[in-house]
Amino acid sequence: MDTRLVYFEDEAVPARRLAEAAGLDASVIKRHDFPDQELLLTLASPLDDALPRTLVLYRSLDRPNDKLVELLLLARHARRLGVTRLVLVAPYLAYMRQDIAFHAGEIVSQPLIGAFLGELYDAVITVDPHLHRISRLEEVMPGIQTRTLSGAPRLAALIKEKRRNPLLMGPDDESIQWVEVAAATTGFDHGVCHKVRHGDTRVDIALPDIDLRGREVVLMDDIASSGHTLARAAEALLAAGADSVDVAVTHALFAGDALEVIRRAGVNEVWSTDSIAHPSNAVAMAPTLGKALGEVLGEVPGEMKSEAQ
Ligand code: R5P
């Protein structure tokens, strides 16, 4: 067998969907957490039984710290056994937001985590990584194959099924990229708010100059983390006369009580892609990931190219 996909038990559903879309055999990696928090990983189908030339790991990097150790252990193990090509499919890529030092002394994690992954894996496929001050993932992971996909087209299709004539709204200037993609494919009106962040859970939102009275608004963003960005935007929209506010995000991080924070702000429905397993998942990324994975696997190492899709 030339290529095998492996995944962890907690992501069996999206990983198996991807394996099916890409036509790959898939097997699980079991994880045991020792009382002292060290990890023991066990491959249900040991690699040395039938060594694949290429190994694809599906691991979304929400709650990333332990997972970075998983990635290290698996990659080094596979290389030791003789696997020649390692592909990481990480629908959510962590540590991409700290791309500059906002305060003196802060360690800029984006290029460091990027280099760590780039040294371990030959290719990384991800969805809507938080790249705002650089434009391409390969700048963070030089020399390896990268594919940057987006959840926006699939979220746009879902919104079109669910709402007749919504106003698509981004909660901050950066979200224009997803809102514009969705507006272009659906023809819906769109706009973005302006956000000023004062801390992890303190943001101010200023609305654009659009008549919101009676509108069904869908807020679109890449990430919902603490939920405060979406909550403040929803409150402002409803106060300005919007009829309803729904939320569509690529990455459902929803840390702590984020979902409750969003609901308390008056949000109606919350939809997300399955880039991070969460009850709000309404869109599977497998077709998009499967196509990109097929292309990456089809490229000849040495003539590899990187491109955003
Ligand atoms: C930031 O620019 C991102 O696009 C999101 O708006 C942000 O990460 C959301 O964070 P939170 O949910 O904690 O407000």
Side-chain angles (χ1 to χ4, degrees):
M1 188 194 352
D2 254 13
T3 304
R4 192 192 306 173
L5 184 144
V6 289
Y7 60 91
F8 286 82
E9 281 168 314
D10 58 334
E11 291 178 323
V13 173
R16 289 198 154 272
R17 271 191 207 126
L18 172 60
E20 198 178 325
L24 296 177
D25 283 345
S27 61
V28 72
I29 307 171
K30 293 195 173 126
R31 168 176 153 168
H32 174 70
D33 292 48
F34 288 111
D36 57 14
Q37 297 185 11
E38 290 184 10
L39 304 179
L40 171 66
L41 305 185
T42 308
L43 288 137
S45 302
L47 294 177
D48 34 7
D49 281 358
L51 189 73
R53 264 193 299 194
T54 300
L55 189 68
V56 179
L57 170 63
Y58 182 97
R59 198 56 167 148
S60 204
L61 294 177
D62 53 302
R63 285 94 188 162
N65 298 338
D66 287 2
K67 292 181 178 178
L68 292 175
V69 177
E70 295 171 355
L71 263 50
L72 170 81
L73 293 173
L74 181 78
R76 293 282 187 239
H77 170 74
R79 296 266 191 228
R80 280 192 166 197
L81 291 178
V83 173
T84 51
R85 197 170 175 204
L86 285 167
V87 178
L88 172 65
V89 179
Y92 176 69
L93 197 54
Y95 284 106
M96 292 296 112
R97 280 174 284 180
Q98 187 78 22
D99 57 359
I100 54 168
F102 296 94
H103 304 99
E106 284 179 356
I107 292 176
V108 181
S109 51
Q110 187 195 65
L112 304 179
I113 297 294
F116 173 75
L117 297 177
E119 283 156 19
L120 292 173
Y121 290 83
D122 303 297
V124 172
I125 299 172
T126 191
V127 181
D128 291 331
H130 201 85
L131 304 179
H132 286 156
R133 273 162 278 258
I134 60 166
S135 55
R136 295 169 72 84
L137 189 59
E138 61 183 307
E139 295 174 50
V140 185
M141 300 172 185
I144 68 162
Q145 267 178 305
T146 55
R147 282 290 188 288
T148 300
L149 312 171
S150 178
R154 295 188 65 77
L155 287 171
L158 177 85
I159 294 166
K160 199 163 181 178
E161 274 171 32
K162 301 274 187 186
R163 297 290 176 261
R164 206 177 49 81
N165 183 29
L167 169 65
L168 306 176
M169 184 67 70
D172 54 26
D173 302 297
E174 293 164 343
S175 56
I176 186 78
Q177 50 193 301
W178 302 289
V179 171
E180 273 182 351
V181 165
T185 58
T186 57
F188 295 146
D189 297 339
H190 68 284
V192 289
C193 306
H194 179 68
K195 174 170 85 178
V196 179
R197 186 176 281 286
H198 304 287
D200 288 348
T201 57
R202 285 193 309 119
V203 295
D204 286 332
I205 299 279
L207 295 176
D209 188 16
I210 296 176
D211 186 1
L212 294 155
R213 288 169 301 174
R215 296 301 307 260
E216 288 185 323
V217 181
V218 179
L219 274 169
M220 293 189 78
D221 206 355
D222 58 342
I223 297 171
S225 179
S226 73
H228 285 266
T229 295
L230 292 167
R232 296 296 85 74
E235 284 165 358
L237 290 161
L238 291 167
D243 221 31
S244 64
V245 177
D246 302 301
V247 157
V249 291
T250 301
H251 303 302
L253 277 174
F254 293 118
D257 63 349
L259 210 46
E260 223 177 290
V261 166
I262 291 170
R263 297 256 182 245
R264 273 203 304 268
V267 166
N268 182 20
E269 295 210 44
V270 178
W271 304 301
S272 63
T273 78
D274 64 353
S275 70
I276 295 173
H278 187 266
S280 63
N281 291 171
V283 167
M285 288 305 296
T288 311
L289 290 168
K291 183 170 175 283
L293 179 56
E295 288 168 5
V296 164
L297 294 175
E299 279 172 18
V300 183
E303 290 175 14
M304 295 171 180
K305 64 176 194 287
S306 297
E307 64 186 35
Q309 294 181 337

